[in-house]
Amino acid sequence: MPDEAVEARNQFLAYNHLLFREWRTRVCPYLTQHSFDPFDKAFYLNEVSLCGVRQNIRSHYPRDGESYVHSSVEDFKKDVRHLPEDLTVVQFHIDHNKILWFSRLHAKLDPFTIPLTDLANCTIQDRLSSALEENLATTHSSRYGGDSKRFWTARMNVDKKLAKILADIEAEWLTPILPLLLPYTSKMPATLATQLSKSGLTKDAAKMLINAAVFVENKKNWLFLVKIVCCTQNLPYESVEGVASACYDKITDAHVIATNTSIEDKFTILNLCPELSCVSLENISFLKDFPLVSRVPSFKLFCNLINKVESVPKPFNGRKSYFLLNPGNDLPDTEKRIGEALDKYNFDGIKNIIPEHAQIAAVLNKYDVYLYIGHGGGGRYYSRNVIRSSKCNAISILMGCDSVAITIDGTGFDGRSSVYDYIIARCPCLVGCLYMVTDGDIDRFFIALLEYCFSHLQVKSLEAMNKKLTTKKGYITLLQGIAQARERCRLKYLQEVQLSHMESSGLTDCLVQLKKEADSISCAGIGNVVNRVF
């Protein structure tokens, strides 16, 4: 490490409790670039973006025993090693030089952190911003003079644009590391990992690569990933290529089936910087068969919550649900559709009424599931302070336009979002919409989600409940339900519903835990970035 980097590191460790974003966003990527230990690299990249932490401190609602930053690499390492083994954390960050960074964390592996690509001349983010502006414009049906055909044509055109943007992100940004978006599993061809490690790669790198080989599209893509890993370890690719090629050729269909089966109930947790929060990575084609993908707004606060729960997933009673439907009394069609669906479940709740602030705080504390159906995330009807100061025990499902979107205030700022309010309240799990949505489509989505996750509540006995369930081993989950419900929508990309885990959680009823079940790559582009940074 150069002397300048050593000085920067010592300065950062002395003052890392100061959350000045303009300082962290420059010094942390610099230290990531000049660090060689995998935990050092991951630590500094993790520390660069602490939007959830800063929001927490500003709220002035700290909890005993909680810390807001990792005091050292060892402190960070302890939290990574303490992660449940069925969780793999994937972090993306854009630094001040427009380099997209990627980091992957798992309890049983050393972290893997690399620069993915240079976005300085990339137009994808501008195209996405333009598409979301067009999405907002096309939601006003009045501009089409009541012509529903023109309205839906315009909406579908925007949906197609978003689909194309996601496909371009997948191809231009993510292709080399796509298999690393999936959860890690130890149930893989272990003998091949051992054989690959004898080529000079570390054991953890070999395990990660063999795990990825099962899911990669073709051998060429996988060998390129091997080349990237060699570059990060200052290992000549030529000394590894032959062994790696032989290992890939030995992967059988049985290996693929066994590894796929082993990750069916495992999670990928995304931690995205605010600039990427509007990208629905959960919806890329590579992940279409792997729906257990959710988000956390802050890895540190996620660790705080994980460290406090006795078991993961934390059980919830689906019968203890409360709804707030159309509090503004200005969505009659939604009220009729959703009201008829909610009647099947006998949930507590109110409609056409703006609740008192104390009532909302009590609901979030008393109930296990909170269902909001109205405009936005409900903030216009009760203040953000009500959420922040509450002790939120309820899984919160916010079915309104932009209900969990982060409004960007400019580069280097955290932005504004209800997500921050709920994480400050220690909400166990938040579900909401990334974009402006069409009421008919989001209503269909929500009704389908209810049917998938709460169908067992329509029957009276536990025996009947077990017969009613049709999912694998009788287990159903919120994330599986989101994936299934999306298929009911006409606009599958605009109706993007995102789940933020504040802590790993499932849905249960009758105290029965419902377990979570739920060759074209730009080689030159990423190769140049990796070589330049390392």
Side-chain angles (χ1 to χ4, degrees), residues 12 53 56 82 104 137 156 208 263 290 306 325 334 338 368 371 374 380 398 400 409 434 453 463 505:
F12 177 78
V53 166
N56 221 287
H82 191 260
R104 187 175 189 248
M156 289 179 178
M208 179 188 73
I263 71 166
F290 303 96
I306 284 287
L325 173 60
T334 290
I338 300 300
D368 282 10
L371 307 168
R380 67 180 65 184
L398 311 179
D409 292 327
L434 281 179
C453 292
E463 179 181 0
S505 55

Side-chain angles (χ1 to χ4, degrees), residues 25 71 136 213 255 258 270 284 306 348 393 405 434 449 481 496 515:
T25 53
S71 59
L136 175 61
H255 289 146
L270 297 174
I284 63 175
I306 284 287
D348 293 340
N393 295 313
L434 281 179
L449 184 64
E496 176 54 27
K515 189 174 177 289

Side-chain angles (χ1 to χ4, degrees), residues 3-13 23 27 30-31:
D3 291 342
E4 295 85 352
V6 173
E7 183 180 353
R9 180 192 62 190
N10 294 338
Q11 184 185 68
F12 177 78
L13 294 177
W23 172 59
V27 69
Y30 175 76
L31 291 172

